[in-house]
């Protein structure tokens, strides 16, 4: 009887060690092989083969599984939506924003989709730096929209993103001397 208990304990201990070794093997494979050779383990690696110079990247969700990156290109700006999945980071959406024509104001409202089926709502407004100094926007509920911006040559790109639908927006643009610019074209 005592021998059977010892065999049973030995067999249980052997199974525990086998399971532990399998788990360690999977973790080591993921860290040193999968992430290095098979998957793009960072946003920058996923964007290596895409057009544009060094850009601005920002995580748009709390779990940090969705990233927006804006890169300057010769024609203007490229906006990339990058999602994290089983195979690492991949580009799920992209948009080219051209340099604006003089005396034009165009607000581009776009929805980017992530692998997790979440949507990110964007407002992108390219302007000439010599014409527009500041843009203000108000949602239909009276909430102010705070734009960030980046510059490429003579173009400034104002951008805003939200995980919630944006709704109707009223825009106001101002020149460097504080004069309000007609924004009828801005829609």
């Amino acid at each position: 009887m005592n021998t059977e208990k010892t065999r049973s304990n030995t067999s249980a201990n052997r199974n525990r060690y086998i399971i532990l070794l399998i788990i360690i093997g999977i973790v080591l494979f993921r860290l040193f092989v999968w992430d290095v050779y098979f998957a793009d383990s960072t946003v920058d690696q996923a964007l290596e083969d895409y057009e544009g110079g060094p850009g601005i990247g920002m995580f748009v969700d709390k779990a940090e599984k969705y990233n927006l990156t804006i890169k300057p290109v010769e024609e203007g700006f490229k906006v990339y939506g990058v999602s994290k999945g089983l195979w690492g980071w991949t580009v799920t959406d992209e948009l080219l924003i051209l340099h604006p024509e003089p005396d034009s104001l165009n607000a581009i409202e776009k929805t980017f989709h992530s692998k997790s089926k979440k949507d990110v709502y964007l407002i992108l407004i390219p302007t000439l730096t010599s014409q527009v100094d500041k843009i203000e926007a108000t949602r239909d509920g009276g909430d102010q929209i705070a734009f960030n911006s980046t510059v490429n040559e003579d173009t400034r790109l104002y951008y805003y993103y939200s995980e919630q639908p944006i709704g109707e927006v009223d825009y106001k643009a101002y020149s460097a001397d504080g004069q309000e610019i007609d924004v009828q074209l801005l829609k």
Side-chain angles (χ1 to χ4, degrees):
M1 187 74 136
N2 211 3
T3 313
E4 286 181 26
K5 244 185 188 180
T6 306
R7 285 183 193 164
S8 161
N9 285 341
T10 305
S11 177
N13 285 338
R14 186 174 352 129
N15 289 340
R16 285 185 195 139
Y17 288 129
I18 290 172
I19 290 172
L20 181 64
L21 287 174
I22 289 172
I23 291 172
I24 290 171
I26 289 171
V27 168
L28 291 175
F29 176 78
R30 172 120 199 279
L31 288 175
F32 296 108
V33 178
W34 185 261
D35 286 346
V36 175
Y37 297 107
F38 295 105
D40 290 327
S41 59
T42 66
V43 173
D44 290 336
Q45 285 178 340
L47 291 170
E48 275 180 355
D49 296 332
Y50 285 85
E51 184 180 14
I56 297 171
M58 61 224 92
F59 291 104
V60 296
D61 62 337
K62 291 179 184 174
E64 294 189 352
K65 291 190 175 197
Y66 193 70
N67 180 284
L68 284 175
T69 298
I70 301 172
K71 290 183 158 195
V73 293
E74 188 175 321
E75 303 88 11
F77 297 92
K78 275 287 226 174
V79 182
Y80 297 100
V82 189
S83 294
K84 186 173 186 178
L86 175 66
W87 298 97
W89 290 93
T90 57
V91 174
T92 53
D93 279 311
E94 65 181 274
L95 177 66
L96 174 64
I97 307 292
L98 299 173
H99 290 293
E101 298 295 322
D103 298 326
S104 72
L105 286 172
N106 294 319
I108 301 162
E109 296 180 6
K110 184 81 174 159
T111 303
F112 272 19
H113 308 285
S114 68
K115 283 187 173 181
S116 63
K117 307 293 186 224
K118 285 188 178 183
D119 291 338
V120 177
Y121 302 92
L122 303 170
I123 298 176
L124 304 156
I125 306 172
T127 65
L128 294 176
T129 54
S130 62
Q131 291 180 322
V132 177
D133 186 57
K134 180 179 171 186
I135 292 183
E136 293 179 355
T138 308
R139 293 184 194 195
D140 53 357
D143 297 332
Q144 287 286 96
I145 292 177
F147 285 101
N148 292 312
S149 67
T150 185
V151 177
N152 179 13
E153 296 178 13
D154 293 334
T155 302
R156 175 174 282 128
L157 179 67
Y158 291 90
Y159 61 92
Y160 170 78
Y161 60 87
S162 173
E163 292 184 71
Q164 304 300 320
I166 296 169
E168 286 293 316
V169 178
D170 292 322
Y171 298 95
K172 289 185 180 180
Y174 298 94
S175 63
D177 60 0
Q179 297 295 317
E180 188 171 343
I181 300 169
D182 182 22
V183 293
Q184 290 185 14
L185 300 175
L186 194 62
K187 282 289 178 180

